[in-house]
């Protein structure tokens, strides 16, 4: 990955064995250029300059969408998302598990936050989503993989930084644990999106045609994720 500038636009270049170049705004606001190995830096700079208005527009939207990012305090009554639904937090003392979802509430062990150890509370939620995601997302992959015509090898749910999911050349899939905060329809979109990358690494028309074959309403789900993705956090 190479960081560079085009006048007042800072961007990073990621080269890989792909056919075309594209520009994306990452979830953390970085401008990323994904390019083939063969394209020279000068051509990438020209492409960034040509897309200047688009980049400015999307960065402005990113700032607006992230202005309302939730700041967690881990207090009774706070809402936490699971499969698109908000559940109120209840701090409890008589519980062996760090976190449970029962009786319509997220029950979090009080000692995890009484000492101010917010990191422990965050870890409890992260581990909960990873455990539930390992089962549910695997089920959805197994359901959609035959429809896409692929056979993934390993499926993992973990921390993925600013990516919702990833696929490797060795036919492995990984999904961000935050996916489990989204509605099931959005999880399905992320699953199909990643499965289709086994056919096409780029986001070309051919790639989106593959997604469309399985989820004709993918545009609405893609837009939902763009608008609400920043709120899927603990």
């Amino acid at each position: 990955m190479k960081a560079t500038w085009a006048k007042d636009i800072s961007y990073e270049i990621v080269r890989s064995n792909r056919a075309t170049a594209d520009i994306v705004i990452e979830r953390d606001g970085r401008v990323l250029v994904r390019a083939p190995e063969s394209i020279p830096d000068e051509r990438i700079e020209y492409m960034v300059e040509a897309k200047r208005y688009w980049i400015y527009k999307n960065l402005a939207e990113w700032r607006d969408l992230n202005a309302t990012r939730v700041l967690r305090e881990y207090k009774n009554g706070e809402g936490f998302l699971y499969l698109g639904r908000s559940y109120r937090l209840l701090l409890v003392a008589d519980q062996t598990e760090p976190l449970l979802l029962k009786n319509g509430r997220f029950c979090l062990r009080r000692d995890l936050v009484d000492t101010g150890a917010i990191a422990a509370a965050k870890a409890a939620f992260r581990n909960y989503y990873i455990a539930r995601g390992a089962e549910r997302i695997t089920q959805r992959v197994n359901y959609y993989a035959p429809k896409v015509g692929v056979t993934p090898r390993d499926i993992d749910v973990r921390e993925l930084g600013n990516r919702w999911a990833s696929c490797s050349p060795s036919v492995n899939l990984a999904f961000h644990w935050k996916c489990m905060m989204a509605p099931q329809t959005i999880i399905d979109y992320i699953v199909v999106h990643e499965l289709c990358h086994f056919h096409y690494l780029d986001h070309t028309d051919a790639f989106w045609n593959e997604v469309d074959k399985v989820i004709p309403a993918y545009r609405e789900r893609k837009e939902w994720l763009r608008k609400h993705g920043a709120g899927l956090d603990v």
Side-chain angles (χ1 to χ4, degrees):
M1 183 178 291
K2 177 182 178 181
T4 187
W5 288 80
K7 294 185 178 178
D8 57 339
I9 298 177
S10 173
Y11 61 94
E12 298 176 15
I13 303 173
V14 177
R15 296 185 182 276
S16 63
N17 184 24
R18 55 187 292 141
T20 60
D22 65 1
I23 302 174
V24 295
I25 309 298
E26 290 282 64
R27 285 166 49 210
D28 59 357
R30 289 179 299 135
V31 180
L32 194 66
V33 181
R34 299 179 295 200
E37 299 284 357
S38 59
I39 293 184
D41 289 351
E42 293 77 12
R43 184 174 167 188
I44 292 175
E45 183 176 350
Y46 175 81
M47 184 176 74
V48 171
E49 182 62 30
K51 299 269 288 186
R52 173 175 293 273
Y53 174 76
W54 180 90
I55 293 172
Y56 281 153
K57 177 176 178 290
N58 280 270
L59 283 176
E61 289 182 359
W62 176 86
R63 284 189 288 269
D64 290 342
L65 293 172
N66 282 269
T68 56
R69 184 181 292 274
V70 177
L71 180 62
R72 298 294 185 187
E73 296 183 349
Y74 293 91
K75 293 182 178 180
N76 281 322
E78 254 189 311
F80 287 81
L81 292 168
Y82 178 63
L83 296 178
R85 178 181 171 186
S86 181
Y87 294 88
R88 296 297 180 183
L89 183 67
L90 179 64
L91 301 179
V92 297
D94 55 342
Q95 183 172 288
T96 55
E97 294 291 327
L99 180 69
L100 291 174
L101 179 57
K102 60 181 183 180
N103 301 324
R105 287 181 176 269
F106 267 124
C107 299
L108 178 68
R109 246 180 33 214
R110 183 179 294 276
D111 63 290
L112 295 178
V113 294
D114 278 352
T115 58
I118 298 299
K122 287 180 177 289
F125 273 94
R126 182 180 66 245
N127 293 338
Y128 182 90
Y129 292 128
I130 288 174
R132 300 306 180 278
E135 179 180 354
R136 181 174 289 266
I137 292 178
T138 297
Q139 290 175 346
R140 303 313 290 167
V141 169
N142 290 338
Y143 174 78
Y144 280 110
K147 298 179 182 297
V148 179
V150 298
T151 306
R153 191 171 66 180
D154 293 328
I155 304 165
D156 193 18
V157 180
R158 63 176 188 265
E159 172 64 47
L160 282 179
N162 294 305
R163 293 176 296 172
W164 290 113
S166 68
C167 62
S168 72
S170 53
V171 203
N172 296 326
L173 288 173
F175 296 88
H176 202 303
W177 57 265
K178 292 180 181 179
C179 291
M180 290 302 293
M181 304 181 78
Q184 183 64 62
T185 55
I186 305 304
I187 295 175
D188 285 353
Y189 161 70
I190 295 171
V191 166
V192 171
H193 182 119
E194 217 56 41
L195 288 171
C196 289
H197 273 313
F198 286 133
H199 291 308
Y200 300 97
L201 293 177
D202 303 339
H203 290 95
T204 58
D205 288 344
F207 166 80
W208 290 115
N209 284 339
E210 288 295 319
V211 177
D212 184 73
K213 291 176 185 177
V214 184
I215 300 182
Y218 79 86
R219 293 176 182 83
E220 291 85 350
R221 302 185 191 191
K222 178 184 177 184
E223 181 64 12
W224 188 99
L225 195 58
R226 186 188 71 82
K227 287 184 176 180
H228 301 285
L232 305 182
D233 202 358
V234 297

